[in-house]
């Protein structure tokens, strides 16, 4: 396992005189309408240096934008242009990162800077020390902007160790040290943002590492051990239920899914208790549940071979919840947080559960199984019922639950279902974190379509029609939440895994979604109850 070894610090001295390998500046594309474009005589007029770049620009005697334009710079988001400084400033390289058009009267959106910082730091792999002089507004948005830049820089440096037997000469090591240029490096607020970003980025990297680990190396018992070891080290209380304990406890859903595998299922419970006695928020209890299918073959209702390898990421929800708890242990918010991680491997075998089975779940409800590939809701429902039994004021669950989420919302936007107010808070937290979500309904007709002839509910629509696939997941899970508990189900089937080339702070493989949303939400609940 790897965590980012990249360190982050603040500097406030002249960027032109910093002894680093590269200084990163922001570059805007100029808003030019068709008419003015025709009249552009100077290519440099299409570019605008972002605030923060002033002293570097001065060292270049006003010729920096012109040179960047000749190098092909356009200032579009994600663009990285490297320029040798040959003694003009102390650093041998100046790197211009595109920020898109300059927003009128404001600093760029935090998410723009998060992505830009990541692109620049990734492009500089192999360099030891890098300074970022990106815009920081001098108003109340400064904290959010600095946090985003810091997170982006660290997440862009993320790299999974992988399994190659020989080192790859073309894969340069991540940047070792990033310095963020700010007006005042001794400012306590700025220092707190950098400290938080470091904890958050480490948590995201943890979640990514677990997701990226090969599924033969991460089966329920070893996943449980890996999580438990990290959690104990972080000072969290840990409880692991093995297959005997699950049987004794009546966790029918987790056992049914896990019974087809030679590696037995687990339920891991991690808890953080704030030591700040008193206060309304401190008495709130947040339960987080994450789906931990270490590999999803579909079971007897087996999946097609093409792309099945990506189902090693079917434990991304559990990885995110575990990583969130690790960060919570360090950030110490004034709210109690408990994580529930049901873990199972969904395999076809002579012992597998089958379509037609009726399973008695942890809360006593009976479920008619129609498709063994809808396994996530079976294990997550038991964990949600357990969380409600333990008692909680908020229940947030996240799972790679349905392909329907990807069809409906794509690879970037997660679906959220549950009680209205909590869904809105999840959405706001996701927006602040740069992890967008969109609310989805729980319609009566979808529930009706899941009525069972023989049991209390079918696991999926009996006609197996794919209509409202994502919603069926939410409607099913609702049955396992105690009355009056505000709850939210975040379907992350798309956003939890990135199959394409690296972009922004997303590297190939696990993304760590929704760790940052969950941490933002925990902060919100700690502050506002
Ligand atoms: N793990 C999958 C959902 C998934 C699909 C995650 C694509 C990530 C990317 C889940 O267990 C599953 O198989 N869902 C089925 C449910 C169906 C059989 C009712 C699906 O969405 O097709
Ligand atoms: Mn499945
Ligand atoms: Zn699954």
């Amino acid at each position: 396992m790897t965590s980012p070894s990249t360190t982050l610090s603040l500097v406030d001295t002249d960027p032109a005189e910093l002894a680093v390998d590269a200084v990163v500046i922001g570059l805007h594309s100029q808003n030019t309408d068709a008419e003015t474009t025709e009249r552009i005589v100077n290519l440099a007029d299409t570019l605008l240096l972002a605030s923060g770049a002033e002293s570097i620009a001065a060292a270049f005697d006003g010729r920096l934008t012109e040179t960047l334009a000749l190098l092909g710079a356009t200032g579009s988001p994600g663009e990285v242009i490297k320029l040798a400084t040959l003694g003009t400033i102390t650093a041998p390289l100046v790197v211009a990162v595109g920020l898109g058009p300059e927003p009128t009267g404001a600093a760029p959106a935090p998410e723009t800077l998060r992505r830009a910082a990541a692109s620049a730091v990734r492009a500089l792999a192999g360099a030891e020390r890098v300074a970022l002089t990106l815009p920081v507004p001098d108003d109340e948005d400064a904290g959010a902007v600095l946090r985003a830049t810091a997170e982006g820089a660290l997440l862009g440096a993320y790299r999974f160790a992988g399994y190659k037997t020989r080192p790859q000469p073309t894969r340069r090591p991540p940047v070792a040290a990033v310095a963020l240029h700010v007006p005042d490096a001794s400012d306590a607020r700025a220092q707190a943002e950098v400290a938080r970003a470091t904890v958050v980025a480490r948590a995201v990297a943890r979640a990514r590492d677990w997701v990226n680990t090969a599924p033969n190396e991460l089966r329920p018992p070893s996943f449980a051990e890996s999580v438990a070891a990290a959690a104990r080290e972080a000072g969290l209380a840990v409880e692991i239920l093995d297959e005997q304990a699950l049987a004794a406890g009546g966790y029918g859903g987790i056992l049914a899914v896990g019974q087809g595998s030679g590696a037995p299922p687990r339920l891991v419970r991690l808890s953080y208790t704030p030591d700040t006695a008193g206060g309304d928020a401190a008495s709130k209890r947040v339960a987080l549940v994450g789906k931990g299918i270490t590999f999803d073959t579909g079971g007897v209702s087996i999946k097609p071979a093409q792309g099945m390898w990506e189902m090693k990421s079917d434990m991304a929800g559990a990885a995110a919840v575990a990583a969130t708890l690790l960060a919570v242990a360090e950030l110490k918010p004034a709210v109690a947080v408990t994580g529930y991680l049901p873990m199972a491997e969904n395999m076809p075998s002579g012992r597998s559960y089958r379509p037609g089975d009726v399973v008695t779940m942890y809360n006593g409800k009976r479920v008619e199984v129609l498709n063994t590939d809808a396994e996530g809701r079976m294990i997550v429902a038991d964990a949600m019922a357990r969380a409600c039994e333990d008692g909680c004021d908020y229940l947030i669950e996240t799972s790679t639950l349905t392909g329907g989420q990807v069809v409906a919302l794509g690879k970037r936007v997660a679906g959220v279902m549950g009680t209205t107010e909590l869904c809105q808070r999840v959405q706001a937290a996701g927006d602040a974190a740069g992890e967008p979500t969109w609310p989805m309904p729980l319609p009566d007709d979808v529930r009706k379509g899941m009525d069972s002839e023989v049991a209390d509910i079918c696991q999926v629509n009996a006609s197996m029609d794919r209509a409202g696939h994502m919603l069926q997941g939410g409607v099913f899970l609702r049955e396992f939440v105690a009355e009056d508990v505000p709850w939210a189900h975040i379907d992350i089937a798309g956003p939890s895994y990135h199959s394409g080339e690296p972009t922004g702070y997303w590297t190939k493989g696990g993304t760590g979604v929704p760790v940052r949303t969950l941490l933002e939400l925990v902060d919100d609940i700690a502050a506002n109850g």
Side-chain angles (χ1 to χ4, degrees):
M1 295 252 174
T2 48
S3 287
S5 46
T6 307
T7 61
L8 202 59
S9 61
L10 293 171
V11 286
D12 55 13
T13 53
D14 184 358
E17 288 172 13
L18 287 174
V20 293
D21 298 316
V23 176
V24 176
I25 59 173
L27 189 63
H28 290 294
S29 50
Q30 278 271 43
N31 291 314
T32 47
D33 53 41
E35 204 188 327
T36 51
T37 310
E38 270 172 38
R39 282 192 271 110
I40 284 174
V41 281
N42 188 348
L43 208 53
D45 289 349
T46 60
L47 300 174
L48 185 67
L49 290 173
S51 72
E54 293 81 3
S55 94
I56 304 293
F60 278 82
D61 235 351
R63 301 195 57 193
L64 186 54
T65 29
E66 192 188 321
T67 310
L68 287 169
L70 285 167
L71 283 166
T74 63
S76 57
E79 179 185 83
V80 175
I81 304 278
K82 298 178 186 172
L83 174 60
T85 63
L86 304 174
T88 320
I89 61 172
T90 307
L93 275 185
V94 63
V95 176
V97 64
L99 299 177
E102 187 189 36
T104 39
E111 180 63 6
T112 303
L113 291 166
R114 201 184 271 113
R115 292 185 189 182
S119 300
V121 168
R122 187 179 30 259
L124 284 163
E128 279 284 317
R129 289 151 53 85
V130 170
L132 304 188
T133 73
L134 294 171
V136 187
D138 57 359
D139 55 20
E140 70 278 10
D141 295 339
V145 166
L146 198 58
R147 174 185 292 197
T149 304
E151 284 176 0
L154 292 174
L155 294 177
Y158 172 82
R159 199 170 91 156
F160 180 58
Y163 298 95
K164 289 192 185 290
T165 50
R166 289 161 190 269
Q168 301 287 295
T170 51
R171 284 187 85 203
R172 292 152 161 244
V175 171
V178 174
L180 301 184
H181 192 267
V182 289
D184 179 7
S186 63
D187 179 65
R189 174 94 196 268
Q191 287 175 350
E193 291 298 354
V194 166
R196 187 188 190 276
T198 304
V199 172
V200 170
R202 208 182 305 135
V204 172
R206 270 278 203 185
R208 289 181 178 180
D209 276 348
W210 274 316
V211 170
N212 293 336
T213 300
N216 56 332
E217 300 234 317
L218 200 81
R219 301 178 80 198
S222 57
F223 187 24
E225 272 316 313
S226 176
V227 166
R232 287 190 194 106
E233 204 185 306
L236 295 164
V238 181
E239 175 191 271
I240 301 183
L241 302 190
D242 64 11
E243 66 275 30
Q244 281 97 28
L246 290 168
Y251 294 86
I254 299 173
L255 287 163
V257 175
Q259 75 193 35
S261 168
R266 295 285 184 264
L267 175 62
V268 179
R269 183 168 169 270
L270 310 173
S271 15
Y272 160 80
T273 316
D275 43 30
T276 44
D280 259 8
S283 63
K284 292 280 185 224
R285 297 156 304 167
V286 178
L288 304 177
V289 178
K291 170 177 171 182
I293 294 292
T294 61
F295 194 74
D296 184 11
T297 64
V300 169
S301 316
I302 199 161
K303 288 181 180 296
Q306 179 58 33
M308 198 200 274
W309 51 86
E310 288 197 354
M311 284 301 120
K312 71 172 184 179
S313 69
D314 213 17
M315 32 55 74
V321 168
T324 299
L325 262 293
L326 294 176
V328 161
E330 283 192 70
L331 298 171
K332 305 197 188 309
V335 57
V337 186
T338 306
Y340 297 83
L341 322 176
M343 299 172 179
E345 189 180 43
N346 190 22
M347 299 289 265
S349 82
R351 286 180 303 162
S352 298
Y353 82 135
R354 52 192 88 59
D357 282 4
V358 173
V359 175
T360 303
M361 306 289 283
Y362 186 69
N363 72 348
K365 287 200 181 175
R366 299 233 167 95
V367 173
E368 183 183 4
V369 174
L370 298 182
N371 187 320
T372 62
D373 198 10
E375 82 298 336
R377 63 199 71 185
M378 300 294 289
I379 70 165
V380 156
D382 272 357
M384 289 169 77
R386 166 68 195 275
C388 290
E389 183 189 75
D390 287 352
C392 54
D393 300 298
Y394 298 101
L395 172 56
I396 300 119
E397 172 276 337
T398 186
S399 294
T400 46
L401 206 71
T402 68
Q405 181 277 316
V406 190
V407 174
L409 294 171
K411 295 281 291 173
R412 285 271 181 176
V413 181
V416 192
M417 287 139 273
T419 48
T420 312
E421 203 226 357
L422 187 58
C423 287
Q424 284 163 354
R425 291 177 78 172
V426 168
Q427 192 179 8
D431 287 347
E435 295 178 335
T437 63
W438 202 252
M440 288 287 154
L442 299 170
D444 291 342
D445 73 295
V446 171
R447 173 62 188 84
K448 190 107 197 60
M450 295 167 77
D451 281 346
S452 167
E453 294 272 320
V454 296
D456 297 321
I457 187 172
C458 283
Q459 178 210 26
V460 292
N461 185 304
S463 70
M464 280 305 292
D465 89 31
R466 301 211 140 225
H469 227 190
M470 168 171 36
L471 315 184
Q472 290 181 35
V475 162
F476 181 86
L477 294 178
R478 180 175 58 188
E479 304 279 327
F480 301 88
V481 182
E483 220 164 309
D484 300 331
V485 174
W487 67 284
H489 155 57
I490 314 175
D491 193 335
I492 52 164
S496 60
Y497 196 81
H498 179 58
S499 323
E501 287 310 305
T503 162
Y505 49 85
W506 277 19
T507 40
K508 227 181 166 94
T511 60
V513 169
V515 169
R516 290 179 294 124
T517 303
L518 296 177
L519 288 171
E520 197 74 41
L521 195 60
V522 165
D523 275 356
D524 171 27
I525 293 168
N528 305 304

